[in-house]
Every structure is written in C-alpha cells, then in structure tokens.
Amino acid sequence: MARSNFREIRDTLKYMLEWSGKKLIFVGRFYPSSKLCYECGYKNDNLTLKDREWDCPNCNAHLLRDLNAAKNIEREGLRILKEEIIEEKGESPGKI
C-alpha cells in the first residue's frame, strides 16, 4: 500500500467498509472545520495555519484548533450521513 496513491487507499477503505456493512463518509475538502466555532458556529476567517488556539468573539469559547476541527468534522459527517439516509429512504427530514 505504500506505493498506492490516496485515491486507491480511499477506494479500498470504502470497499472494505461497505463489504462489512459500514459506510465511509467524506467531508468536503474545503469545509472550514478549523475556522468554525464548535460551540456557536461562528466562522473565523482571520485564522491562520500558525494559530493553534483561538477565542471565539461570538461566544467567548476557548478553542484548540485540532480538537475543534475534529468535533466539526464529526458533526458534519453525521449531518451528511443523515442526509444520505433520508435520500435512500425517500423520507422527509422530520421522520428520522
């Protein structure tokens, strides 16, 4: 697998998960996971790559960049999964 490109690794992982009845969810490449406050949703457009911590000016939460990004990615992944389930079942969002 060391020679495989990222696409091949991703496709293999997706296949293996689907084979075992699980699902791999992809969050968009440009989703602003680090820039969104996990607590209130405020988007900090002034955040740079060197900023490891920041305080949300909207709700005053103190955020650790990587932990905040991980929480936002989890939340977005669950939102995408819910949306896909709704589409598969042909149901309205209120039924799930």
Side-chain angles (χ1 to χ4, degrees):
M1 247 169 138
R3 293 184 186 180
S4 298
N5 64 33
F6 182 73
R7 173 82 182 201
E8 291 171 346
I9 294 169
R10 186 186 81 171
D11 290 346
T12 301
L13 181 59
K14 183 178 179 187
Y15 170 78
M16 292 169 64
L17 287 169
E18 286 175 354
W19 185 77
S20 63
K22 298 178 178 149
K23 194 168 187 99
L24 181 62
I25 301 295
F26 298 99
V27 173
R29 179 179 178 185
F30 298 107
Y31 176 71
S33 60
S34 296
K35 294 183 175 192
L36 291 178
C37 173
Y38 178 75
E39 299 295 330
C40 71
Y42 173 83
K43 185 177 178 187
N44 184 352
D45 286 319
N46 298 320
L47 199 65
T48 65
L49 288 175
K50 69 179 181 175
D51 298 326
R52 306 314 302 160
E53 300 179 24
W54 60 283
D55 294 317
C56 177
N58 190 52
C59 71
N60 297 318
H62 181 75
L63 304 162
L64 303 176
R65 183 188 185 105
D66 294 339
L67 182 59
N68 181 59
K71 289 177 179 180
N72 282 323
I73 289 168
E74 178 185 38
R75 180 182 282 166
E76 178 67 359
L78 291 171
R79 185 196 66 76
I80 292 168
L81 178 61
K82 182 178 179 182
E83 195 173 273
E84 288 181 6
I85 291 170
I86 291 168
E87 287 177 13
E88 287 173 4
K89 292 186 175 189
E91 297 178 357
S92 66
K95 292 187 178 181
I96 291 191

